Amino acid sequence: MAQFFWHNLTIKETVKILRTNIKDGLNQKEVMFLQKELGKNKLPEEKPFSNLGILLEQFKSPLIYILIIAGIIALGLNETADAIVIFGAVFLNTVVGYIQENKVSKALEKLKKAVKYEAKVLREGNLRILDAVELVPGDIIFLSPGGKVPADGRLIESHDLKVNEMALTGEWLSAEKKPEVLVKETPLADRDNMVYMGTVIEDGKAKVVVVGTGIQTEIGKIAKMIRESKEEKTPYQKKLANFSRNIGIIIAVVCFGIFIEGMVTGGDFMEMFITAVAVAVAAIPEGLPVAMTVILALGMQRILKKGGLVRKLSSAETLGSTSIICTDKTGTLTMGKMKVDKVITPAQIFEKNDNKKAECLALKTAALTSEAFIENPSLSKEKWVLRGRATDKALLTAGIEKGVITFGKQSPKKIVELPFNTINKFIASVFKEDKETRLYVCGAPEKVLERSKLFKIKGERLDLTPKSLEKIEDRLKKIAGLGLRVVATAYKKIPLKTEQDLLENKIQNLEQEVNNLIFTGFITLKDPIRPETKKAIRTCRKAGMKPIIVTGDHKLTAKAVAREIGFKIKEENVLEGKDLDKLSDKDFERVLDKIQIYARVEPKHKVRIVQAWQERGEVVAMTGDGINDAPALKKADIGVALGSGTEVAKETSDLILLNNSFSIIVKAVQEGRAILDNIRKVITYLLSDSFTEVILIGISILFGVPLPITAVQILWVNLIEDGLPDIALAFEPEEADLMEMKPMGHKIPLLTREMKAIIFIIGLITDVMLLGLFFWLFNRNHDIVYVRTMIFACLAIDSLFYVFSCKSLRRNLWHINPFSNKILVGAFIIGIITLVSAIYLPLFQVLLKTVPLSFQDWLIILSMGFIEIILIEATKWHFIVKKEYV
């Protein structure tokens, strides 16, 4: 179907283009043709991730590929023990990852709600109730309160129609709809003669001609954007892929070099090949994938306890790299519900002292005229459930809390009511009270003021002269400038004769009585800021992250919220969607740093904002709850959906805020940083061993001496001695300074300078010590099995000792509690027990080819362990002093 600006067309033009009939609708032949041509009125659905799919996802790590290749080679060489240990590591990593992601998948299923939508349609002159998927462009449909709009449509007729379009536009207040033609440039959120699929009818009725179904709807366009947008790899995935590729290249080069060296010096082909495999086994940190998976899984669980559901393991770490947070306003920074802010009486406007009675009268007026109601008034007040529109519920709630209205026998009796409509823009109700009857009015300030004649200050009635009206209107403009919603209240006494006429239905139109009112004040309403938001924003900035408000709301409302939570806003810091459209990419790049608020944005704007920051190398988190947010959530490095949001938003997100609060994002970022911190500790711990083992074997081959340690002994150290401590590091509590550091971003590598120093420099020093011991013992003609047992024990003790140095890469051992992680202490004890078992138990002596050691041997081994710790702590101290540990 051709592209039309339906909001800019008259009803007659619209009907002509769609070849339909307002009185009779389409006939069945036309419907079938359109359905064949355009398809059913439904969006394309993606298949849910199956259990098999989740399982296969666990193998998509370069480190796992390296382990699998090593395992296959070991099998080919009949090194069954090596192969079993390697594949055991792969299996353990797969099981942990699968269990965690499967749990999340099931939790998401519980969040889904299967709903079938129906539509009231006019076809062949008859009204029918049909499944909404059967609708086609040109259908005439009827809308009523409580239902969802089944397709995009142009209004033909509307009667006080109010539609909540938050899911599509981000605007949480309902829009009043009218059929009048609008200018072509009208933004989506302001097209009041249109209704859109998936939005909710709050009030009123309408007759609508369908102009778009399925993929042709605004929601359909968003769905298409989601499917077409490429899902970017997380910073963690990119860094891990690069890290694994480098390890793979180094292993391949070293192994090939050793093999060629052996062949050139006349070595046996098979022996050299087995030796090369031994080096590969030494180089591969078998426990790393398992430890990383455990760290991520534990991080996900901790984030869940704080109110955030992370959908994928890799996303948990990415949170720690976040540098830009693009947040929606409604429900995230605010409570997502309307509340009375202030009551402004005439005395306050004219800067006079006033008593509380005037405020109470204004609140009483608003509460009595409110169309909200208590669903279960017979229960205690704590259990009351209020129903109605957001504004009405807020006014009634304020009246109840202030005690200005009561329920039961003592409550005022309503005689008659004039409902709200879009022309009058006020509601009027007549109540019989103890000694008199009053008409109470509440509505749009300009409408209430034009029907008012008086106002009261301290009980004194004053005329509403042009001069006093001007002052009142000036105050109203100031209120509007703050982005607050405002209503005005007024009342008047009803004479006995008029009351009788009302009771006897002699006065058919109450509107004629709404005049000569006494103006009682303005009531401002707003969506309150969440109590924890200000602190979260401060923590966010302290941690080096930049929060940006991206909302579908009006500019004034967004600015008011921003100021309240601590943003320092000037006009140059705010950009509306329509103005963003006018900027080229270069112009946008120039102003990007200045913009703190984006208002009246559409889906395409959100995607563009995310992309602009990503092109600068920033890691971007985008929050949202509506269908309109989904493309940007998918584009962002971390898509954050609200728990109360749409299923589309949840399905495309990485993190779901179960209670909607912005503070959870900051807590999740903190946990993400702890995850990255612990991953780096584990990498440092394991690669130090791997590097030491590779150099140890490589140099021994270079000098033509027997290997100082066997492949099985290396696997024992890597998986048994290192295995439990590296997993125990996953339980290391977060360090206090995490949220005082700058974000990691895309540019900072997985291996920092300090990590490289510990891994390579200390590894070399350790090798010098171990090789020195090896050659000393070997040249004294000790049995090779004894020599290998000594080197094996030294390597294991070094690993068990310096794991405590890895508890913090930014603080020395004497500045931390080495025993704060009870699991690590337990892993250390178990490591000592398994080492002793490997040396003294006959079964392990046969498997590992070890012999018992003497007391003097253990003194040498323990001394080398302590020297290792001293060297590592000296290296850490150097980087701490220079502050180069990031």
Side-chain angles (χ1 to χ4, degrees):
M1 183 177 283
Q3 179 68 42
F4 293 99
F5 294 94
W6 300 107
H7 61 279
N8 186 232
L9 300 175
T10 64
I11 296 167
K12 189 175 180 181
E13 289 170 334
T14 303
V15 169
K16 185 179 179 181
I17 291 168
L18 294 168
R19 298 177 184 176
T20 188
N21 187 312
I22 292 176
K23 291 182 179 179
D24 298 323
L26 298 171
N27 59 48
Q28 193 59 31
K29 187 178 178 182
E30 290 168 328
V31 170
M32 290 182 71
F33 172 78
L34 288 168
Q35 284 182 348
K36 187 178 179 181
E37 190 79 14
L38 302 173
K40 296 273 188 174
N41 180 34
K42 60 181 181 180
L43 304 178
E45 297 176 357
E46 288 192 14
K47 292 181 180 178
F49 228 22
S50 65
N51 288 338
L52 179 61
I54 295 171
L55 183 66
L56 293 175
E57 275 290 308
Q58 310 313 311
F59 292 93
K60 291 185 177 179
S61 166
L63 277 177
I64 296 296
Y65 300 154
I66 292 172
L67 284 179
I68 290 172
I69 292 167
I72 291 169
I73 292 172
L75 273 178
L77 297 172
N78 290 321
E79 299 290 338
T80 310
D82 293 2
I84 289 171
V85 174
I86 292 170
F87 285 126
V90 173
F91 176 76
L92 185 58
N93 174 79
T94 304
V95 168
V96 173
Y98 171 79
I99 290 171
Q100 185 62 36
E101 289 199 10
N102 194 45
K103 273 184 185 176
V104 174
S105 181
K106 287 180 179 177
L108 282 171
E109 285 298 316
K110 288 179 182 178
L111 288 173
K112 289 183 179 180
K113 295 177 183 177
V115 182
K116 183 180 179 181
Y117 299 115
E118 292 182 332
K120 190 177 182 181
V121 193
L122 179 67
R123 283 190 183 164
E124 297 179 329
N126 299 313
L127 282 176
R128 301 176 188 178
I129 304 296
L130 300 175
D131 191 324
V133 299
E134 300 297 328
L135 293 180
V136 295
D139 264 326
I140 307 299
I141 60 173
F142 295 85
L143 306 177
S144 55
K148 281 198 173 184
V149 179
D152 285 6
R154 171 72 165 86
L155 290 182
I156 298 171
E157 300 171 8
S158 72
H159 304 280
D160 302 329
L161 183 68
K162 291 185 178 178
V163 182
N164 188 314
E165 297 180 330
M166 183 176 171
L168 183 65
T169 65
E171 172 63 78
W172 71 289
L173 293 172
S174 57
E176 295 179 8
K177 298 290 184 175
K178 302 172 224 174
E180 285 79 8
V181 176
L182 299 171
V183 296
K184 188 184 290 185
E185 294 78 16
T186 306
L188 183 72
D190 295 325
R191 293 176 189 171
D192 293 334
N193 59 6
M194 299 288 294
V195 288
Y196 297 104
M197 185 181 188
T199 57
V200 180
I201 310 300
E202 286 196 349
D203 201 4
K205 296 181 179 181
K207 185 177 182 181
V208 175
V209 57
V210 174
V211 299
T213 57
I215 204 74
Q216 287 87 33
T217 62
E218 290 298 327
I219 287 178
K221 292 172 187 174
I222 292 169
K224 189 179 178 185
M225 285 174 68
I226 295 168
R227 296 187 77 183
E228 290 176 353
S229 64
K230 184 182 176 183
E231 193 160 359
E232 298 288 332
K233 282 187 176 181
T234 68
Y236 167 72
Q237 288 171 326
K238 291 174 183 175
K239 289 173 184 176
L240 184 60
N242 187 53
F243 169 71
S244 303
R245 184 173 60 252
N246 291 341
I247 283 184
I249 291 169
I250 290 169
I251 291 170
V253 169
V254 170
C255 292
F256 183 73
I258 288 171
F259 178 75
I260 295 299
E261 179 196 351
M263 294 302 294
V264 169
T265 55
D268 179 71
F269 175 84
M270 186 52 67
E271 184 184 344
M272 285 301 101
F273 188 74
I274 291 171
T275 302
V277 171
V279 173
V281 169
I284 296 169
E286 288 87 357
L288 187 55
V290 178
M292 283 182 163
T293 302
V294 171
I295 289 170
L296 292 168
L298 288 172
M300 288 175 75
Q301 289 172 11
R302 287 196 296 265
I303 292 169
L304 183 60
K305 286 178 183 177
K306 293 178 179 179
L309 179 67
V310 180
R311 295 188 64 214
K312 291 183 180 178
L313 282 175
S314 59
S315 301
E317 182 277 336
T318 307
L319 282 160
S321 304
T322 303
S323 53
I324 302 290
I325 301 180
C326 297
T327 177
D328 199 357
K329 177 187 69 64
T330 306
T332 312
L333 301 175
T334 66
M335 299 291 288
K337 60 182 180 182
M338 191 80 85
K339 190 175 181 180
V340 168
D341 181 41
K342 288 180 182 177
V343 179
I344 302 167
T345 63
Q348 292 169 349
I349 294 170
F350 289 93
E351 300 172 355
K352 305 282 186 182
N353 292 327
D354 203 358
N355 53 36
K356 292 293 179 183
K357 284 185 179 180
E359 283 188 21
C360 289
L361 179 57
L363 263 182
K364 178 182 177 180
T365 302
L368 286 174
T369 54
S370 168
E371 291 183 317
F373 63 93
I374 299 168
E375 190 177 81
N376 49 353
S378 59
L379 299 180
S380 60
K381 188 183 289 187
E382 295 77 23
K383 295 180 180 178
W384 281 354
V385 176
L386 269 66
R387 301 292 185 193
R389 291 189 297 267
T391 303
D392 289 321
K393 286 196 291 185
L395 295 171
L396 180 58
T397 300
I400 293 169
E401 289 174 352
K402 280 284 186 180
V404 297
I405 59 169
T406 55
F407 297 90
K409 293 180 180 179
Q410 302 299 319
S411 61
K413 182 183 176 184
K414 186 188 288 186
I415 296 173
V416 68
E417 178 183 82
L418 176 65
F420 181 94
N421 64 58
T422 53
I423 298 170
N424 290 334
K425 293 188 177 180
F426 63 76
I427 184 169
S429 299
V430 177
F431 282 87
K432 177 73 174 176
E433 299 186 78
D434 291 338
K435 297 178 181 179
E436 59 186 20
T437 301
R438 286 186 175 186
L439 169 67
Y440 292 106
V441 180
C442 179
E446 66 278 7
K447 295 292 184 179
V448 174
L449 284 171
E450 72 181 26
R451 290 172 181 262
S452 298
K453 188 178 181 181
L454 304 166
F455 64 93
K456 288 171 72 174
I457 294 181
K458 289 186 177 180
E460 181 185 356
R461 294 189 180 189
L462 301 169
D463 289 332
L464 195 59
T465 62
K467 189 176 180 180
S468 60
L469 183 60
E470 185 181 349
K471 190 168 181 67
I472 291 171
E473 288 175 342
D474 284 343
R475 185 60 178 269
L476 179 61
K477 287 176 185 176
K478 288 179 182 177
I479 295 169
L482 295 173
L484 299 170
R485 192 174 178 86
V486 58
V487 295
T489 58
Y491 82 102
K492 78 173 184 179
K493 290 182 181 179
I494 297 289
L496 183 60
K497 175 70 172 63
T498 305
E499 179 188 338
Q500 288 172 346
D501 289 344
L502 286 169
L503 288 168
E504 294 170 7
N505 291 323
K506 290 180 179 177
I507 299 177
Q508 298 295 322
N509 188 359
L510 182 60
E511 187 182 343
Q512 66 190 47
E513 294 298 321
V514 185
N515 52 49
N516 298 323
L517 302 173
I518 301 170
F519 169 67
T520 52
F522 296 127
I523 298 176
T524 62
L525 303 100
K526 68 175 184 178
D527 181 7
I529 301 297
R530 286 179 174 272
E532 68 275 13
T533 298
K534 287 184 184 179
K535 184 181 177 182
I537 291 289
R538 284 197 300 271
T539 304
C540 184
R541 290 201 170 106
K542 188 179 178 183
M545 294 180 287
K546 180 172 183 173
I548 300 169
I549 297 174
V550 183
T551 178
D553 270 357
H554 288 281
K555 180 168 72 172
L556 292 175
T557 309
K559 283 169 71 176
V561 168
R563 288 194 180 102
E564 195 171 345
I565 60 176
F567 280 68
K568 293 178 181 178
I569 299 294
K570 296 179 182 177
E571 201 58 39
E572 64 180 11
N573 304 130
V574 185
L575 188 67
E576 289 192 89
K578 63 181 181 181
D579 298 317
L580 178 55
D581 283 330
K582 298 172 186 175
L583 295 178
S584 66
D585 289 340
K586 284 186 178 180
D587 291 336
F588 185 33
E589 166 65 23
R590 280 195 286 269
V591 300
L592 188 62
D593 281 320
K594 294 180 182 177
I595 309 302
Q596 296 185 55
I597 297 173
Y598 294 89
R600 299 310 259 172
V601 294
E602 295 177 17
K604 60 181 181 181
H605 300 135
K606 295 184 179 186
V607 173
R608 191 178 176 193
I609 293 162
V610 170
Q611 189 171 335
W613 281 111
Q614 285 176 332
E615 285 173 358
R616 285 195 175 190
E618 303 290 351
V619 178
V620 185
M622 165 65 82
T623 74
D625 60 349
I627 298 162
N628 62 318
D629 297 317
L633 293 180
K634 188 172 182 181
K635 176 67 179 171
D637 298 291
I638 288 288
V640 184
L642 306 193
S644 61
T646 61
E647 290 305 322
V648 176
K650 291 174 192 172
E651 288 295 333
T652 51
S653 69
D654 302 292
L655 171 68
I656 299 172
L657 309 181
L658 298 181
N659 75 349
N660 298 350
S661 175
F662 177 84
S663 65
I664 295 174
I665 304 172
V666 180
K667 291 173 185 174
V669 167
Q670 191 167 348
E671 285 296 342
R673 290 189 176 189
I675 287 167
L676 181 58
D677 215 26
N678 286 347
I679 285 174
R680 283 184 164 147
K681 291 171 187 176
V682 171
I683 289 174
T684 302
Y685 176 61
L686 292 179
L687 286 194
S688 296
D689 261 0
S690 295
F691 183 73
T692 299
E693 291 157 359
V694 169
I695 298 301
L696 201 60
I697 290 176
I699 290 178
S700 64
I701 291 171
L702 187 65
F703 282 92
V705 296
L707 295 180
I709 189 168
T710 67
V712 176
Q713 288 173 341
I714 287 170
L715 281 172
W716 182 277
V717 171
N718 286 2
L719 290 170
I720 307 300
E721 301 303 324
D722 292 354
L724 287 178
D726 71 44
I727 290 175
L729 281 174
F731 294 86
E732 197 63 29
E734 64 187 51
E735 297 187 46
D737 63 347
L738 275 179
M739 294 304 279
E740 294 172 10
M741 299 168 64
K742 296 298 179 187
M744 299 299 179
H746 286 289
K747 296 173 184 177
I748 297 177
L750 207 55
L751 286 177
T752 63
R753 288 185 64 189
E754 182 197 16
M755 290 169 68
K756 289 173 184 175
I758 292 174
I759 292 167
F760 298 111
I761 297 172
I762 303 304
L764 284 171
I765 293 171
T766 306
D767 278 318
V768 169
M769 293 167 60
L770 290 176
L771 284 167
L773 178 64
F774 172 76
F775 283 116
W776 180 65
L777 293 171
F778 186 69
N779 290 332
R780 294 183 68 182
N781 296 318
H782 283 287
D783 180 64
I784 189 64
V785 176
Y786 163 74
V787 176
R788 283 174 174 165
T789 303
M790 284 290 289
I791 299 301
F792 166 64
C794 277
L795 200 57
I797 284 295
D798 285 346
S799 294
L800 291 170
F801 275 26
Y802 84 74
V803 71
F804 291 97
S805 284
C806 292
K807 278 173 64 67
S808 176
L809 299 178
R810 294 187 298 280
R811 289 182 294 170
N812 283 116
L813 197 55
W814 54 85
H815 287 141
I816 62 175
N817 179 0
F819 310 111
S820 61
N821 185 345
K822 301 292 187 284
I823 296 174
L824 183 59
V825 173
F828 172 79
I829 293 168
I830 292 170
I832 295 293
I833 293 169
T834 56
L835 176 59
V836 171
S837 300
I839 292 172
Y840 293 101
L841 291 182
L843 175 66
F844 292 119
Q845 285 177 345
V846 173
L847 177 67
L848 298 169
K849 296 181 175 59
T850 57
V851 293
L853 299 175
S854 67
F855 180 72
Q856 287 79 7
D857 293 332
W858 282 108
L859 285 178
I860 294 171
I861 292 164
L862 292 172
S863 297
M864 292 188 69
F866 283 116
I867 292 170
E868 176 98 4
I869 285 183
I870 291 167
L871 291 170
I872 290 173
E873 290 303 318
T875 304
K876 281 167 60 178
W877 179 81
H878 168 79
F879 281 94
I880 290 166
V881 169
K882 290 193 169 186
K883 295 188 182 296
E884 293 178 359
Y885 46 76
V886 177

